[in-house]
């Protein structure tokens, strides 16, 4: 299990390339960011190389619930794959989009499966994993389609591709349903990436009600060797102080 820093969250408005250099100086070897396009990929690549950083994850887009936006999602995926190859990213993060109020949930569920199945074909031979992320709808993402991990795992099982998995955000799933260690360990083969933050408040993971040392122990015992993304907003400590503490957790 390896830690990576979500630059959008931990380092906030700091210019991305400056944040990369600082995170490297603070002892980290991997980062992630939400954007998949709309940036100077060569500038990012140069800063990453200078800092000695690997890109664990980067974003794609949403729009999977609606068949009319599926092609735009897939077109964007192709652009993101090209950028991911340039910066050496390992996985891409996909969102379902907001729930469509006048469309049956089953139809939206089926649209997600179809879209991800088509995405899996595009991903063949790239070495990249596309990770679908459930989000909590009680606090942070009201109206988002996918919140329950059980439905996320059901979708991934239907897609049935080793290159399409779940991004399990422990903060979001604590709010949505709890039962974290059981839900994680029983479905670990379907999880391609983790996010963590403290709850309540989405601050430093070492504050709040989530027992991360025990969760990390359970994940490690099951053989997870991938990345855990630090996607939190420092509330008490500085970004530097909090990241140094996380290396000791």
């Amino acid at each position: 299990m390896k830690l990576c820093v979500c630059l959008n969250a931990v380092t906030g408005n700091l210019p991305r390339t400056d944040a990369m250099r600082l995170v490297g100086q603070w002892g980290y070897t991997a980062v992630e960011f939400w954007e998949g396009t709309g940036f100077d990929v060569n500038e990012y690549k140069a800063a990453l190389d200078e800092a000695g950083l690997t890109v664990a994850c980067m974003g794609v887009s949403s729009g999977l619930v609606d068949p009319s936006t599926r092609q735009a999602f897939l077109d964007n995926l192709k652009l993101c794959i090209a950028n991911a190859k340039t910066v050496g990213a390992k996985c891409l993060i996909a969102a379902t989009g907001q729930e469509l109020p006048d469309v049956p949930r089953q139809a939206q569920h089926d649209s997600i499966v179809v879209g991800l199945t088509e995405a899996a074909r595009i991903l063949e031979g790239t070495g990249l994993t596309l990770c679908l992320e459930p989000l909590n709808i009680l606090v942070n993402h009201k109206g988002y389609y996918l919140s329950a991990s059980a439905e996320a795992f059901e979708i991934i099982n239907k897609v049935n591709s080793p290159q399409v998995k779940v991004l399990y955000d422990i903060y979001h799933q604590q709010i949505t349903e709890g039962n974290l260690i059981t839900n994680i360990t029983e479905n670990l083969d379907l999880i391609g990436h983790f996010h963590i933050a403290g709850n309540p408040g989405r601050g430093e993971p070492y504050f709040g009600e989530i027992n991360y040392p025990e969760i990390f122990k359970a994940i490690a015992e099951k053989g997870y060797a991938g990345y855990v993304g630090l996607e939190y907003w420092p509330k008490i400590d500085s970004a530097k102080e909090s990241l140094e503490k996380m290396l000791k957790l």
Side-chain angles (χ1 to χ4, degrees):
M1 186 181 69
K2 302 165 286 190
L3 296 179
C4 67
V5 180
C6 178
L7 300 178
N8 307 71
V10 180
T11 58
N13 294 325
L14 192 66
R16 197 75 72 235
T17 53
D18 291 343
M20 291 170 183
R21 295 182 182 99
L22 284 176
V23 167
Q25 292 171 16
W26 296 340
Y28 283 81
T29 59
V31 295
E32 62 177 86
F33 39 86
W34 297 338
E35 60 270 24
T37 59
F39 59 91
D40 187 327
V41 67
N42 293 317
E43 182 181 31
Y44 273 34
K45 174 63 173 170
L48 290 162
D49 289 346
E50 179 185 337
L53 295 171
T54 294
V55 179
C57 257
M58 53 190 283
V60 186
S61 63
S62 60
L64 287 164
V65 293
D66 188 346
S68 72
T69 60
R70 184 181 302 142
Q71 191 57 53
F73 173 87
L74 296 172
D75 290 343
N76 181 260
L77 173 62
K78 293 173 185 176
L79 296 175
C80 293
I81 288 171
N83 286 340
K85 288 180 177 179
T86 298
V87 300
K90 306 301 181 185
C91 80
L92 298 167
I93 304 170
T96 63
Q98 296 295 94
E99 183 174 5
L100 304 175
D102 300 322
V103 178
R105 277 192 65 87
Q106 187 60 51
Q108 297 177 72
H109 177 104
D110 293 344
S111 178
I112 296 168
V113 172
V114 172
L116 289 177
T117 300
E118 294 185 18
R121 297 191 188 101
I122 295 171
L123 288 159
E124 286 180 5
T126 65
L128 288 163
T129 302
L130 182 65
C131 292
L132 180 68
E133 185 173 18
L135 305 171
N136 87 77
I137 59 175
L138 298 175
V139 178
N140 302 104
H141 298 278
K142 296 183 187 302
Y144 184 73
Y145 173 84
L146 183 64
S147 60
S149 64
E151 183 174 6
F153 294 133
E154 180 183 354
I155 289 168
I156 299 310
N157 273 320
K158 288 179 178 177
V159 175
N160 192 28
S161 167
Q163 290 183 272
V164 180
K165 295 194 174 188
V166 170
L167 193 170
Y168 193 101
D169 188 310
I170 294 172
Y171 162 79
H172 285 307
Q173 297 318 122
Q174 167 68 1
I175 293 172
T176 299
E177 60 205 6
N179 201 30
L180 297 168
I181 289 177
T182 297
N183 287 341
I184 290 169
T185 55
E186 290 185 352
N187 298 281
L188 194 57
D189 59 324
L190 302 178
I191 297 172
H193 192 67
F194 286 95
H195 279 165
I196 68 171
N199 187 57
R202 212 174 183 182
E204 294 88 339
Y206 44 84
F207 292 120
E209 66 188 8
I210 305 176
N211 189 342
Y212 279 112
E214 285 299 312
I215 294 172
F216 288 171
K217 179 183 176 182
I219 294 171
E221 287 176 350
K222 283 289 185 177
Y224 180 75
Y227 283 98
V228 173
L230 305 178
E231 191 187 50
Y232 68 91
W233 282 257
K235 307 290 186 184
I236 298 171
D237 296 322
S238 68
K240 181 178 185 293
E241 290 169 334
S242 66
L243 288 176
E244 288 174 344
K245 288 183 180 181
M246 284 305 306
L247 287 175
K248 300 173 184 177
L249 185 63

